[in-house]
Amino acid sequence: MKKQMNVPADLLLGRKTFEIWSKFWPQHADLWPGSATATKYVASNTLTSSDWKPSVFLSGDLAKQISELKQQEGPNLHVWGSANLVQTLLQHDLVDALWLKIFPVTLGVGKKLFAEGTIPAAFRVTESAVTPKGVIIINYERAGAVPTAEM
């Protein structure tokens, strides 16, 4: 199974995730060299700069800006965490793949992955595995529109 952290990619992060990561990854780049070299695109209406370079701050019409980024040449954009940003991406059909890790615990209420506003979309499984501790790791790629049929 591919190690997502070892695939060349730029990062698309929400403000909260970026603030947490920018305190950790610059001092631990040896654990994930890609974190130092990747361009960090940050969705934020409040942050405009950071010492963690290279960073680009996005505000305003995120869907339009991210759609334009996706059409440019360069590495893929990977989103880690950033639950609110993921909701925006799902609402605007900007998700090409989902890499999910499902842990065998329940924590009560929390954020929903597919919240109100998510558009219907079909995905296909490209990789899957179950760890010895029961964690399900599954990767999905976009598979077009949701197929419909008459009953």
Side-chain angles (χ1 to χ4, degrees), residues 35-123:
S35 70
T37 58
T39 298
K40 279 67 79 177
Y41 293 97
V42 185
S44 176
N45 290 318
T46 56
L47 289 180
T48 57
S49 67
S50 173
D51 292 336
W52 191 26
K53 307 286 187 211
S55 298
V56 176
F57 293 86
L58 309 172
S59 64
D61 189 346
L62 288 177
K64 179 181 178 192
Q65 292 175 72
I66 293 166
S67 179
E68 290 169 356
L69 279 174
K70 287 179 56 163
Q71 294 177 29
Q72 294 177 7
E73 290 295 319
N76 287 335
L77 293 171
H78 289 187
V79 179
W80 291 80
S82 306
N84 293 336
L85 174 59
V86 169
Q87 294 306 310
T88 299
L89 299 175
L90 288 167
Q91 290 171 3
H92 294 278
D93 197 18
L94 294 170
V95 175
D96 298 319
L98 295 167
W99 299 343
L100 305 178
K101 293 172 183 71
I102 304 165
F103 293 82
V105 297
T106 57
L107 300 175
V109 298
K111 294 182 179 181
K112 295 179 181 180
L113 176 58
F114 304 109
E116 187 176 329
T118 299
I119 65 166
F123 289 85

Side-chain angles (χ1 to χ4, degrees), residues 103-104 130-136:
F103 293 82
V130 179
T131 71
K133 294 200 175 202
V135 177
I136 300 168

Side-chain angles (χ1 to χ4, degrees), residues 1-9 32 78 80 99 101 127 137 139:
M1 203 161 208
K2 281 193 268 185
K3 302 284 184 192
Q4 284 88 9
M5 293 176 80
N6 294 326
V7 175
W32 183 18
H78 289 187
W80 291 80
W99 299 343
K101 293 172 183 71
E127 295 180 76
I137 302 169
N139 298 347

